[in-house]
């Protein structure tokens, strides 16, 4: 087996090891990223939901009128902006939007006007999910057709408040999740492939230099050296190596010189 083949196999092994490490790292990163997205979305949701239920509680206790409480809630919720792509929407019991902080043009419109990628009412999908989980946060999947014609998968959560029956919800698109994931993961992939390429170049370069100094494969050079060392000066090795300063070429010259000396003595 040639040394160059062994080095190639070693490079392939290193690359495979790095790829396995990268896959494990990316899997761990994706799990952590998903957990982080879930925790962040639920935190934003709970903040809005608890604010509304607190106002409902004040109304139940007679500390504020329902009309004033709803006006106050509407004003606060419409200013409740967290991120350029993240907010919590609120719709009344008839699914008319009360607050969509990043899309104020939707205020007063109906949730039923939204259609998923198959043309179904997103409002109906929401209502069914909430009815199935009346005492907890409901989760539901739906699709949205993008401007370029593609279909994006989305995961949303929602819950209805106990007194006013308002629908509070939020969610995140899988395209956004993937973009956030790869924005972090791409550097890990780049570093892994870069390290593999650097190690491969170093090993290949070192192997070529070693073969050049040896003048041939290590087994071939070792066999010639042993022949000369044992006194066999009749080696049929030929000097076809372009590097005259290699070990192989030097050993051939040594054998030829010793043979001439022996012949001159005889």
């Amino acid at each position: 087996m040639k040394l160059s083949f062994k080095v190639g196999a070693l490079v392939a092994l290193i690359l495979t090891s790095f790829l396995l490490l990268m896959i494990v790292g990316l899997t761990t990163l994706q799990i952590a990223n998903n957990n982080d997205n879930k925790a962040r979305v639920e935190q934003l949701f709970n903040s809005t939901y608890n604010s509304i239920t607190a106002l409902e509680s004040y109304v139940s206790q007679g500390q504020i009128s329902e009309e004033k409480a709803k006006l106050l809630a509407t004003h606060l919720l419409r200013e409740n902006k967290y991120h350029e792509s993240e907010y919590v929407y609120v719709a009344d019991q008839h699914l008319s939007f009360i607050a969509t902080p990043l899309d104020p043009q939707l205020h007063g419109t109906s949730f039923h006007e939204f259609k998923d990628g198959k043309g179904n009412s997103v409002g109906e999908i929401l209502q069914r999910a909430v009815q199935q989980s009346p005492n907890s946060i409901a989760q539901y999947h739906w699709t949205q057709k993008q401007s370029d014609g593609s279909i994006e998968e989305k995961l949303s959560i929602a819950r209805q408040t106990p007194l006013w029956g308002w629908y509070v919800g939020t969610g995140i698109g899988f395209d956004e999740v993937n973009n956030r994931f790869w924005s972090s993961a791409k550097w890990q992939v780049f570093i892994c492939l870069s390290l593999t390429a650097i190690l491969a170049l170093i090993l290949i370069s070192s192997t070529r230099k070693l073969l050049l100094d040896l003048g041939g494969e290590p087994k071939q050079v070792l066999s010639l050296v042993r022949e000369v060392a044992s006194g066999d000066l009749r080696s049929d090795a030929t000097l076809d190596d372009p590097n005259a300063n290699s070990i192989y070429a030097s050993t051939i010259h040594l054998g030829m010189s010793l043979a001439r000396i022996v012949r001159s003595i005889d």
Side-chain angles (χ1 to χ4, degrees):
M1 185 180 296
K2 292 186 176 182
L3 181 61
S4 56
F5 179 81
K6 293 180 180 179
V7 172
L10 179 60
V11 171
L13 179 62
I14 293 173
L15 176 59
T16 302
S17 301
F18 273 136
L19 288 176
L20 289 175
L21 287 174
M22 182 181 68
I23 291 172
V24 172
L26 290 178
T27 302
T28 304
L29 178 62
Q30 188 172 34
I31 293 173
N33 190 54
N34 290 339
N35 291 336
D36 178 66
N37 286 330
K38 181 180 179 181
R40 186 181 66 258
V41 167
E42 289 184 351
Q43 182 180 17
L44 298 180
F45 170 86
N46 288 327
S47 175
T48 301
Y49 184 84
N50 292 336
S51 297
I52 297 174
T53 55
L55 288 171
E56 289 182 340
S57 177
Y58 293 150
V59 171
S60 299
Q61 297 171 10
Q63 297 181 20
I64 186 174
S65 68
E66 182 172 331
E67 182 181 2
K68 288 184 178 180
K70 286 183 176 180
L71 287 174
L72 177 60
T74 300
H75 175 73
L76 293 176
L77 295 172
R78 289 181 176 180
E79 298 299 325
N80 203 14
K81 302 173 184 176
Y82 299 101
H83 186 267
E84 61 181 9
S85 63
E86 293 178 346
Y87 67 87
V88 179
Y89 68 81
V90 180
D92 64 16
Q93 67 274 24
H94 304 297
L95 284 178
S96 294
F97 284 115
I98 295 172
T100 53
L102 298 182
D103 297 295
Q105 72 276 8
L106 298 179
H107 294 159
T109 62
S110 175
F111 216 130
H112 291 293
E113 296 178 15
F114 280 89
K115 305 296 181 181
D116 65 5
K118 298 180 180 179
N120 300 316
S121 169
V122 180
E124 292 180 1
I125 298 174
L126 163 64
Q127 284 181 316
R128 285 196 298 269
V130 171
Q131 288 170 1
Q132 292 172 2
S133 305
N135 299 316
S136 61
I137 299 176
Q139 290 189 6
Y140 60 97
H141 291 264
W142 59 289
T143 57
Q144 184 179 40
K145 190 173 183 179
Q146 304 298 306
S147 58
D148 59 358
S150 62
I151 302 296
E152 181 185 7
E153 294 281 342
K154 289 183 176 291
L155 172 63
S156 296
I157 58 175
R159 190 175 182 181
Q160 200 169 13
T161 62
L163 182 61
W164 299 338
W166 284 7
Y167 292 90
V168 182
T170 187
I172 191 169
F174 288 101
D175 287 352
E176 183 179 353
V177 171
N178 291 332
N179 289 336
R180 288 182 177 180
F181 168 72
W182 284 111
S183 67
S184 301
K186 64 183 181 182
W187 293 109
Q188 185 173 344
V189 176
F190 174 76
I191 291 172
C192 175
L193 296 179
S194 296
L195 286 176
T196 302
I198 292 172
L199 287 175
L201 289 174
I202 292 174
L203 287 173
I204 293 173
S205 176
S206 300
T207 302
R208 287 181 176 178
K209 179 66 167 58
L210 176 61
L211 290 174
L212 185 63
D213 290 339
L214 288 175
E217 290 293 325
K219 184 181 294 187
Q220 180 185 11
V221 176
L222 179 60
S223 176
L224 176 62
V225 171
R226 284 176 174 173
E227 287 179 4
V228 174
S230 63
D232 183 2
L233 306 180
R234 297 170 297 175
S235 174
D236 57 355
T238 58
L239 188 60
D240 55 359
D241 176 40
N243 184 14
N245 297 319
S246 67
I247 295 176
Y248 188 80
S250 298
T251 303
I252 291 177
H253 286 304
L254 174 62
M256 294 171 61
S257 298
L258 291 175
R260 285 195 296 269
I261 293 174
V262 170
R263 285 196 299 269
S264 64
I265 294 176
D266 293 341

